[in-house]
Amino acid sequence: MPNDPDNRLRDIFRIIVREYLRSAEPIGSAYIVSRHRLGVSPATVRNDMAELEERGLLEQPHTSAGRIPTEAGYRYYVDEFVRDGELEDKPRRELEAAVVEMERDMESAARKFARTVASITGETAIIRVGTQSYLTGVQNLMGKPEFREGELMREALRAVDELDALVGDLESRASEDVSVLIGADNPFGRELSSVFTVFAAPDAGEAVIGILGPTRMDYDTNVALLRYIRERLDELDA
């Protein structure tokens, strides 16, 4: 039933997360009602937002009337709403060209491959092939609104200083598909999220490719992108 409270809570939660990922601004009830046809009043949406806050999925920053996702909220969003998304044609073509180059020489093309991933996602990209780890696109992280907070800056600098150890920690937590580590679960720091995968690199052993960004990242696109990369690179190893 469209107005079932549980369904509406899920819809409102998904709207808040996606709008916040886009805008980096707390999302209020009036804004939701004005942009989405939910068939309920702003007062009802406010009550639902309060319920989501009680469940630990949303929080109210400072004195803002709007809400943003909590760390638990991001985890719930990834588990419940990030599905098998499809990449758009342009990034698919860019990745395909990079994969072809990786096929010719995995280790020498690794840094360029990471730069391609950073450019497509607007995030920081990590890659390790053999024993060499690369981090690129840190300027993307520095351009995020969250970077004004000192803690995110410290975590970005730690990522540069301790890259090999942190990538090794990622690798130890990898699943058989694409893994998402958020906040406190992320070895790079609780202000950051890592989306990554481990694959068998031809002539180079096990390799790691990942995307590092603030917890406010486009999980749908980043998971789809890494899933596509893994599938293509697995084909090279077949």
Side-chain angles (χ1 to χ4, degrees), residues 39-198:
V40 294
S41 68
T44 298
V45 173
R46 282 195 295 275
N47 290 337
D48 288 344
M49 291 166 67
E51 173 68 20
L52 290 165
E53 189 171 359
E54 287 182 11
R55 296 186 187 190
L57 300 178
L58 298 179
E59 62 184 344
Q60 188 173 18
H62 311 300
T63 57
S64 167
R67 304 296 198 281
I68 65 174
T70 63
E71 185 178 306
Y74 284 122
R75 181 77 263 169
Y76 178 77
Y77 178 82
V78 169
D79 291 343
E80 290 293 318
F81 299 111
V82 175
R83 304 301 183 193
D84 296 332
E86 292 290 332
L87 288 178
E88 295 181 359
D89 288 342
K90 185 176 184 295
R92 184 186 294 272
R93 288 194 300 270
E94 292 177 15
L95 286 174
E96 185 62 32
V99 167
V100 169
E101 190 167 343
M102 289 272 279
E103 184 177 15
R104 288 195 292 265
D105 191 336
M106 180 69 70
E107 293 201 42
S108 66
R111 189 187 295 271
K112 183 177 179 181
F113 189 83
R115 285 198 297 268
T116 299
V117 172
S119 175
I120 291 171
T121 62
E123 305 287 3
T124 301
I126 302 161
I127 191 166
R128 182 165 77 185
V129 177
T131 59
Q132 186 65 53
S133 299
Y134 302 106
L135 180 74
T136 188
V138 176
Q139 68 274 15
N140 292 334
L141 186 60
M142 294 171 65
K144 305 287 185 183
E146 293 89 344
F147 199 77
R148 293 192 294 265
E149 302 295 331
E151 187 60 32
L152 186 60
M153 183 184 300
R154 285 190 289 272
E155 291 178 356
L157 294 173
R158 178 169 172 258
V160 174
D161 289 342
E162 303 176 23
L163 183 60
D164 283 331
L166 293 169
V167 174
D169 198 345
L170 280 188
E171 188 173 4
S172 71
R173 305 188 196 195
S175 69
E176 294 183 359
D177 186 30
V178 173
S179 303
V180 181
L181 300 180
I182 299 171
D185 289 335
N186 181 21
F188 283 88
R190 69 175 309 127
E191 301 299 320
L192 297 166
S193 289
S194 298
V195 181
F196 68 100
T197 191
V198 176

Side-chain angles (χ1 to χ4, degrees), residues 1-37:
M1 191 177 354
N3 288 326
D4 177 74
D6 287 337
N7 288 338
R8 192 177 65 242
L9 281 174
R10 283 172 58 87
D11 289 343
I12 289 171
F13 174 75
R14 182 171 52 201
I15 288 168
I16 290 171
V17 173
R18 289 182 174 170
E19 292 284 359
Y20 181 65
L21 294 181
R22 179 189 59 79
S23 69
E25 295 291 338
I27 308 302
S29 57
Y31 179 86
I32 293 172
V33 170
S34 70
R35 291 180 62 91
H36 300 273
R37 295 183 178 181

